[in-house]
Amino acid sequence: MFQNTLEYAKKQDAEDKLAQFRNKFNIPKNQNGQELIYLCGNSLGLQPKITSEYIQEELDAWAKLGVDGHTEGKHPWMPYHEFLTENMAKIVGAKPSEVVVMNSLTTNLHLMMVSFYRPTKTKFKIVVESDAFPSDKYAVESQLKFHNMDPKEGLILWKPRKGEELCRIEDLEEIMATQGEEIALLMIGSPNYYTGQAFPLKQITELGHKYSCMVGFDLAHGAGNIQPNLHDSGADFAVWCTYKYLNSGPGSLGSCFVHERHANNPNLNRFAGWWGHNKKTRFNMRYNFEPIEGAEGWQLSNPPILSMAAIRASLDTFADAGFENLRKKSEQLTGYLEFLLDEMKNDAINVITPRKPSERGCQLSIQLKNADKKLYDQLTKEGVISDWREPDVIRVAPTPLYNSFEDVYRFSEKLKSILAQDSI
Ligand SMILES: Cc1ncc(COP(=O)(O)O)c(C=O)c1O
């Protein structure tokens, strides 16, 4: 059904109801003022044009109101995080009470493990996928050490089989069948940052719960990309960032999901701070900590409003587009990219991301056999912003909010011509 021509790509863009959203973003340009082919939303999403207005609104409120901005103005700062909750909850398929925007991803992961990784002498192991993002590995290893466990003994890697790139669910089942009684936590990143493999969250959660393990997900590459349906998955917790597919700016705040069954459990340990305390009595400055019900009860500090303003701008853009529409377009865009790569009929190209749309988001991880970083450098020189992972993988992520079929076509043409050069 797809066609390998520029005319076809342009026709797809002309018929795309979401195409107008590209104009709502600042697309980086080269020195000649031409737009770059930006396929790096998996690393840093682009800036919506309304972001500066949303931030300016808060700068103005601060200038005009000073401290009174906490309670006055169009969007008072005291409840500011609440303005983000409903839209964020929709994006991850959660109830609003299960979601809160706060801190950054790794910090939230630690906070979640304080509550949901409660090892005993016999049940203490943690499972992560073998190619988990390094920060996740550092976090779980340091939690093991914090509880006086040896990571060599306590960390189980869910690995692809020899000669394969992707993790098989049967192998996780096998890990659980043999070591489930010793495992306290499954902590899986989905989609995996390197391969782009999206995992079946509900199936993994049910598997973990069958062995009385807690189950949490790192959705850094999931939020705003796939629909994780967190509430229905039954996961105990999840964490994600907002600077990738959620287009909220470098180092912007992360977000956190805590399933409602944990909303008001007094037996759960947590690291507490005043922003998690009952809103009605927070300013009475009483000493007994009384957590807000739900995910908000895990907040520590009063949050940075300027970063939250950027998140609000981005979430409003998502709400305008509709997540289901975006996902539909995303499958088409990535499907088109896959088609064009297949059309090259080049044995040096191996797409390691799953073929099934239900098992991936928008990213394709393209292994280029015998290539080195020169190829990526050449692509960059020719105006393609992608990302290189040693030893030989280029990750490209056409995102449905601001990428076009033409972007995908032009990328494939550039890759084809670079691969045809002898020097690469
Ligand atoms: C999968 C994954 N986990 C964790 C992180 C770390 O996030 P942060 O620096 O916000 O803690 C990243 C960052 O890119 C990531 O991709």
Side-chain angles (χ1 to χ4, degrees):
M1 57 172 179
F2 293 126
Q3 292 170 26
N4 187 359
T5 66
L6 180 59
E7 290 66 38
Y8 172 83
K10 285 187 167 177
K11 188 160 169 279
Q12 293 305 107
D13 288 328
E15 289 170 2
D16 171 18
K17 290 199 181 78
L18 294 175
Q20 36 135 349
F21 278 87
R22 182 179 174 90
N23 295 329
K24 296 180 191 283
F25 283 83
N26 290 305
I27 313 281
K29 296 186 172 129
N30 66 14
Q31 283 170 340
N32 302 324
Q34 288 160 331
E35 284 180 351
L36 298 172
I37 300 172
Y38 194 87
L39 298 173
C40 212
N42 56 333
S43 178
L44 182 74
L46 290 183
Q47 184 190 112
K49 288 178 183 165
I50 57 169
T51 300
S52 50
E53 286 165 36
Y54 280 53
I55 293 177
Q56 191 59 49
E57 188 185 295
E58 300 319 319
L59 287 171
D60 290 347
W62 178 23
K64 282 188 199 131
L65 300 168
V67 70
D68 289 341
H70 281 106
T71 49
E72 291 173 28
K74 206 164 153 203
H75 295 100
W77 306 325
M78 196 88 75
Y80 201 93
H81 67 275
E82 295 169 25
F83 306 139
L84 315 178
T85 305
E86 204 170 312
N87 281 337
M88 188 64 98
K90 277 189 195 142
I91 281 187
V92 293
K95 295 187 176 180
S97 62
E98 295 174 318
V99 165
V100 65
V101 175
M102 61 179 195
N103 313 314
S104 322
L105 191 156
T106 309
T107 309
N108 286 337
L109 181 53
H110 277 297
L111 292 179
M112 290 293 99
M113 287 197 279
V114 165
S115 297
F116 298 107
Y117 175 55
R118 310 291 306 153
T120 65
K121 276 212 159 71
T122 54
K123 194 168 179 68
F124 60 93
K125 296 185 178 175
I126 304 178
V127 181
V128 296
E129 81 275 25
S130 65
D131 244 330
F133 192 80
S135 196
D136 292 3
K137 272 199 188 156
Y138 305 152
V140 295
E141 278 173 4
S142 61
Q143 285 280 337
L144 281 158
K145 285 187 195 158
F146 180 71
H147 290 282
N148 301 316
M149 313 282 177
D150 180 356
K152 280 200 202 90
E153 209 192 325
L155 187 62
I156 302 175
L157 299 179
W158 175 23
K159 288 186 194 147
R161 292 183 187 177
K162 241 198 167 134
E164 296 186 6
E165 301 286 347
L166 305 174
C167 293
R168 292 174 182 242
I169 196 81
E170 310 89 270
D171 295 342
L172 183 61
E173 286 166 349
E174 177 66 19
I175 290 173
M176 298 308 291
T178 51
Q179 301 181 71
E181 301 309 323
E182 295 164 357
I183 294 169
L185 174 68
L186 299 183
M187 215 304 289
I188 307 293
S190 184
N192 175 271
Y193 85 101
Y194 180 69
T195 62
Q197 180 178 18
F199 296 106
L201 270 49
K202 195 175 164 71
Q203 195 180 348
I204 290 176
T205 303
E206 285 171 357
L207 179 62
H209 286 175
K210 192 171 137 192
Y211 292 88
S212 305
C213 305
M214 289 289 177
V215 182
F217 295 100
D218 171 356
L219 298 175
H221 289 262
N225 179 22
I226 53 161
Q227 174 50 268
N229 285 318
L230 278 175
H231 177 81
D232 288 345
S233 78
D236 295 287
F237 70 88
V239 292
W240 58 97
C241 60
T242 61
Y243 43 77
K244 297 178 188 292
Y245 297 109
L246 291 177
N247 307 318
S248 301
S252 60
L253 288 164
S255 194
C256 197
F257 162 89
V258 178
H259 198 278
E260 70 174 351
R261 68 176 165 277
H262 302 302
N264 206 10
N265 177 356
N267 299 324
L268 270 180
N269 250 327
R270 74 177 91 197
F271 283 170
W274 75 315
W275 223 249
H277 183 90
N278 182 347
K279 290 174 209 176
K280 289 195 194 108
T281 55
R282 187 190 279 149
F283 283 88
N284 295 353
M285 305 297 188
R286 294 187 325 190
Y287 285 116
N288 289 339
F289 178 67
E290 194 190 313
I292 306 169
E293 251 184 56
E296 279 185 273
W298 270 264
Q299 294 173 107
L300 298 179
S301 306
N302 82 101
I305 298 301
L306 301 183
S307 176
M308 285 206 165
I311 299 174
R312 198 165 64 78
S314 166
L315 292 176
D316 283 355
T317 310
F318 268 87
D320 281 354
F323 193 74
E324 280 178 20
N325 302 329
L326 286 166
R327 182 62 188 145
K328 238 183 252 165
K329 176 175 170 184
S330 177
E331 289 186 10
Q332 285 294 306
L333 261 186
T334 298
Y336 189 46
L337 173 60
E338 182 178 48
F339 164 81
L340 293 172
L341 292 168
D342 287 346
E343 283 275 291
M344 288 183 205
K345 297 188 175 39
N346 185 333
D347 289 341
I349 295 178
N350 176 30
V351 176
I352 60 178
T353 308
R355 291 257 159 192
K356 275 195 202 158
S358 60
E359 292 174 12
R360 69 187 185 199
C362 67
Q363 172 186 320
L364 290 187
S365 304
I366 309 168
Q367 185 179 38
L368 293 150
K369 290 177 206 155
N370 307 321
D372 60 27
K373 196 159 174 277
K374 269 195 297 182
L375 184 144
Y376 163 79
D377 292 338
Q378 185 63 29
L379 271 172
T380 309
K381 228 172 164 179
E382 297 195 18
V384 175
I385 308 299
S386 59
D387 125 338
W388 174 260
R389 290 284 148 171
E390 292 293 345
D392 54 5
V393 169
I394 282 190
R395 300 184 304 167
V396 279
T399 66
L401 263 173
Y402 50 77
N403 282 121
S404 61
F405 287 84
E406 187 172 336
D407 279 340
V408 168
Y409 180 82
R410 290 195 187 281
F411 162 74
S412 81
E413 285 297 289
K414 286 185 191 295
L415 180 64
K416 191 160 55 182
S417 80
I418 293 171
L419 284 173
Q421 292 166 23
D422 286 342
S423 57
I424 298 290

